[in-house]
Amino acid sequence: MPQFLGMDLTLDTKDLKIISALANGQPARFSLGPKHSFKGTPLDITLPFEISRGQHVIVEVTYETSTSASALQWLTPEQTAGKKQPYLFSQCQAHHCRSMVPCQDSPSVKHTYYAQVSVPKDLVAVMSAMRDGQEDDPQDSNRTIYRFRQPVLFLPSVYCITIVITCSREIGPRSRVWSEKEFVDKAAFEFSETETMLKTAEDLVGPYVWGQYDILVLPPSFPYGGMENPCLTFATPTLLAGDKSLSDVIAHEISHSWTGNLVTNKTWEHFWLNEGHTVYLERMIGRCMKSEQFRQFDAIGGWKDLQDSVNTFGANNPLTNLVPSLQDVDPDDAFSSVPYEKGFALLYHLEELMGGPEVFMGFVKSYIQMFAYSSVTTEEWKNYLFTYFKDKVNILKKVDWNAWMFTPGMPPSSCTVMKPPSFAPLQAKDQDLSSFKKSDVKVLSSQQLTEFLSLLLHEDPLPLSHVKKMQEVYDLNAYMNSEIRFRWLRLCVRSRWEEAVPTALKMATEQGRMKFTRPLFREVYNFEKYRDEAVRVFLASQAAMHPVTSGLVAKDLKVGASNTTSL
């Protein structure tokens, strides 16, 4: 059997202080390579002995994280709902795990883990794993050790840890909701359909393999609507503000248990494999629990989100490719609705070509079973598509794959989407504002009202007289639903209603969900009279933002490093 002497193990790190390295208990030489602007620094560890192929080696690294760790957000007591204890949460996607632990921080590398976390007795630790008991810390009687185990292979970008004073409520036979005590009862009520969604997903794509499915409601600064950490989905508290998109978010994160965590994109260029399939499965759950019309209406909103992203990036920007080149591009900078909604549009188009949702769901289920516990590329996915539909290859060959995969902008014109209804305010003229009736919105569901406002955002800016009349008749300022409020405020600012600017900036800063925060800041920034005010408010609020949110808003507002590092 061949022997290997002085082999190197290379791990990803970012802003970590490496103290020592051991291999099977023996001191090992280590060195840090050159620092990359967003990838961090490679850690090379040289093993001090010969090893044979297949031999197991235990490598121990002692290290410290830095205060600038991009995966971690440390909140003061004042930044929590309870105002009494600090709060820590991690957010590792897309490549921030390396700032928390030395690892091979790539979606192509999956692993299991076991962890012990020691925290002060007043706090509780939860992780992306099954809980495995707790005990008093033998080294400090004022602390508790929580143990966790994750036996299923998963990727570093969904490795998470949260340390918080928290409560939980059972919401199903395999689910609990966790949050600060101020929100726990409301959260338990809002997430009561979780088990039904899980069972619906299992009927569609097979057994849920992760054991527990818990939901953690994070503080407002959490940058995403949800994050699919195994066993413990992270959720934004904006979902608790009467936001009827809650079921969409939870269905989306549940779907990631199969498409994203079980089957994973091999690199971030293939991110659409995670998100496009997850949106497709999320909407199939909605179809099963509600109706095909519900799925279609949801898809209309997604199409509008895709148009927003293409307009923001520019129709010729290669980052709007379904499969973009990310050579020397920070994946955070490429983040948008493109992989979600362009990916869904492709799958929906294929569904129509192959024979409908029941037929195409057969492929999706088979694809998941085929590639479970592994990472795949678009080419591998496409090859399996042709293998599965071997009797329909002639139809698949007619698809313009280059236009779908490698061409920027909106999908090919052959893609069909449901046409939205028309609304009176779109046709109203300046001299005919009497067409605005309270009944215009009173009969609309929250989802329909959200779509109505999205539709208006895709037209030329409304005259100021129109938005003022809408407020007078509809009283949209009174809506606390985050999706509605977000779109209404954008509409007001875009129409240059100065009274709306403080409210828009307030929403941009009182929560940190990037879906809301970035467009609101951009909208005010584009209102030239208030451009400096947008920058001022951002700089004043930056310290309370998640590092990813802060960095991206700074780029949106063209705030240089010299401004952001002085706070």
Side-chain angles (χ1 to χ4, degrees):
M1 181 173 290
Q3 301 289 309
F4 303 92
L5 179 62
M7 286 195 66
D8 281 353
L9 168 68
T10 300
L11 302 175
D12 295 309
T13 75
K14 185 178 181 183
D15 299 327
L16 298 181
K17 178 183 178 182
I18 309 299
I19 298 170
S20 66
L22 300 175
N24 287 352
Q26 300 179 37
R29 289 188 292 109
F30 66 89
S31 62
L32 291 168
K35 185 174 182 179
H36 186 274
S37 58
F38 62 84
K39 294 179 182 178
T41 308
L43 169 63
D44 294 316
I45 300 171
T46 301
L47 302 185
F49 44 75
E50 292 184 352
I51 61 171
S52 303
R53 188 182 301 278
Q55 179 181 343
H56 286 251
V57 178
I58 297 175
V59 176
E60 301 173 61
V61 180
T62 303
Y63 67 96
E64 295 177 0
T65 60
S66 77
T67 56
S68 62
S70 57
L72 302 173
Q73 185 169 20
W74 302 86
L75 302 178
T76 64
E78 292 73 28
Q79 291 173 299
T80 68
K83 310 297 183 185
K84 293 180 180 178
Q85 296 283 357
Y87 195 119
L88 165 69
F89 72 89
S90 67
Q91 171 51 45
C92 292
Q93 189 169 293
H95 58 155
H96 300 285
C97 192
R98 64 191 70 190
S99 72
M100 188 171 71
V101 58
C103 61
Q104 292 177 323
D105 194 3
S106 165
S108 64
V109 178
K110 294 188 172 186
H111 60 84
T112 61
Y113 77 84
Y114 178 84
Q116 294 188 152
V117 184
S118 175
V119 302
K121 281 191 177 292
D122 288 340
L123 303 181
V124 173
V126 290
M127 295 188 74
S128 52
M130 299 292 289
R131 297 184 296 280
D132 198 32
Q134 65 188 71
E135 62 186 4
D136 291 340
D137 190 332
Q139 298 182 357
D140 188 338
S141 60
N142 294 316
R143 301 177 71 87
T144 301
I145 291 177
Y146 291 88
R147 297 190 301 272
F148 304 92
R149 57 180 174 83
Q150 179 52 269
V152 183
L153 290 169
F154 81 118
L155 57 157
S157 67
V158 292
Y159 175 88
C160 77
I161 179 172
T162 299
I163 299 173
V164 62
I165 182 166
T166 189
C167 298
S168 70
R169 296 282 187 275
E170 186 176 283
I171 56 173
R174 47 186 162 175
S175 300
R176 301 188 74 85
V177 63
W178 299 77
S179 79
E180 294 183 75
K181 64 180 181 181
E182 288 79 7
F183 300 133
V184 69
D185 290 329
K186 183 172 179 58
F189 173 78
E190 295 287 1
F191 297 123
S192 59
E193 286 191 311
T194 297
E195 180 61 22
T196 302
M197 291 185 189
L198 277 168
K199 287 181 177 178
T200 303
E202 287 183 311
D203 289 341
L204 288 167
V205 287
Y208 177 78
V209 303
W210 305 91
Q212 192 76 7
Y213 183 85
D214 289 357
I215 300 170
L216 173 69
V217 180
L218 278 95
S221 59
F222 181 60
Y224 302 104
M227 182 52 63
E228 64 273 16
N229 303 306
C231 305
L232 185 69
T233 279
F234 280 12
T236 170
T238 63
L239 298 176
L240 304 182
D243 187 345
K244 295 305 179 184
S245 70
L246 179 149
S247 59
D248 289 348
V249 172
I250 297 306
H252 185 90
E253 304 312 329
I254 283 174
S255 299
H256 266 307
S257 302
W258 289 267
T259 51
N261 292 347
L262 190 60
V263 180
T264 309
N265 49 243
K266 188 164 286 187
T267 70
W268 294 115
E269 284 87 354
H270 305 283
F271 190 42
W272 83 271
L273 291 172
N274 277 22
E275 298 300 348
H277 286 82
T278 297
V279 173
Y280 184 84
L281 181 52
E282 161 207 331
R283 289 177 181 154
M284 286 298 295
I285 292 173
R287 180 179 188 267
C288 294
M289 293 180 63
K290 296 181 182 178
S291 67
E292 172 62 18
Q293 289 74 17
F294 178 86
R295 181 174 81 128
Q296 292 283 343
F297 201 89
D298 217 19
I300 293 170
W303 187 262
K304 298 291 188 302
D305 290 340
L306 176 57
Q307 289 175 320
D308 278 344
S309 289
V310 170
N311 291 337
T312 298
F313 278 112
N316 296 318
N317 191 316
L319 291 181
T320 63
N321 290 6
L322 190 58
V323 184
S325 171
L326 296 181
Q327 183 70 32
D328 294 324
V329 175
D330 187 334
D332 286 336
D333 293 341
F335 182 82
S336 74
S337 64
V338 169
Y340 296 74
E341 297 299 343
K342 203 171 187 177
F344 168 81
L346 171 59
L347 297 176
Y348 183 78
H349 180 59
L350 293 171
E351 171 195 299
E352 290 187 315
L353 294 177
M354 295 297 101
E358 287 78 11
V359 173
F360 197 70
M361 271 307 307
F363 162 73
V364 174
K365 182 176 182 178
S366 180
Y367 160 72
I368 291 169
Q369 292 172 339
M370 178 67 184
F371 294 101
Y373 309 103
S374 64
S375 300
V376 298
T377 65
T378 298
E379 192 63 26
E380 290 171 314
W381 168 86
K382 184 181 170 186
N383 288 340
Y384 190 69
L385 176 74
F386 274 68
T387 299
Y388 183 86
F389 289 112
K390 58 182 179 295
D391 57 335
K392 299 178 180 178
V393 167
N394 288 340
I395 299 175
L396 289 173
K397 285 182 176 179
K398 293 178 182 177
V399 174
D400 190 343
W401 293 103
N402 184 68
W404 274 103
M405 300 293 184
F406 306 110
T407 303
M410 294 298 289
S413 57
S414 59
C415 178
T416 58
V417 291
M418 187 177 177
K419 297 297 182 186
S422 60
F423 295 95
L426 286 174
Q427 288 79 38
K429 307 298 182 185
D430 287 337
Q431 68 273 19
D432 183 26
L433 299 182
S434 61
S435 62
F436 289 77
K437 302 274 196 258
K438 198 167 188 177
S439 58
D440 290 338
V441 299
K442 193 172 182 179
V443 297
L444 300 180
S445 67
S446 296
Q447 188 190 26
Q448 289 171 322
L449 182 52
T450 297
E451 174 56 28
F452 162 48
L453 295 173
S454 294
L455 198 63
L456 295 177
L457 283 168
H458 282 85
E459 302 291 326
D460 292 335
L462 290 173
L464 182 56
S465 58
H466 282 51
V467 294
K468 285 186 174 181
K469 187 68 174 180
M470 289 173 70
Q471 171 54 28
E472 177 188 331
V473 177
Y474 306 149
D475 193 20
L476 291 166
N477 284 339
Y479 282 77
M480 290 296 105
N481 178 303
S482 300
E483 298 284 350
I484 293 171
R485 191 169 181 78
F486 160 66
R487 287 166 175 80
W488 168 239
L489 289 171
R490 286 186 65 195
L491 200 66
C492 292
V493 174
R494 190 172 293 184
S495 296
R496 300 300 186 253
W497 193 1
E498 296 186 39
E499 292 178 20
V501 169
T503 310
L505 290 174
K506 183 174 185 289
M507 184 178 185
T509 54
E510 68 186 1
Q511 55 75 50
R513 188 175 174 186
M514 288 195 293
K515 175 181 179 180
F516 302 145
T517 293
R518 294 185 68 190
L520 285 168
F521 266 117
R522 285 197 298 258
E523 213 70 72
V524 176
Y525 185 82
N526 290 334
F527 190 169
E528 193 168 335
K529 181 176 179 179
Y530 289 93
R531 181 164 293 178
D532 290 344
E533 178 66 3
V535 173
R536 185 196 68 77
V537 170
F538 165 66
L539 292 174
S541 309
Q542 184 184 14
M545 291 182 177
H546 188 275
V548 173
T549 308
S550 172
L552 293 175
V553 173
K555 291 180 180 179
D556 291 340
L557 304 186
K558 300 176 174 57
V559 176
S562 59
N563 290 330
T564 58
T565 56
S566 62
L567 292 175

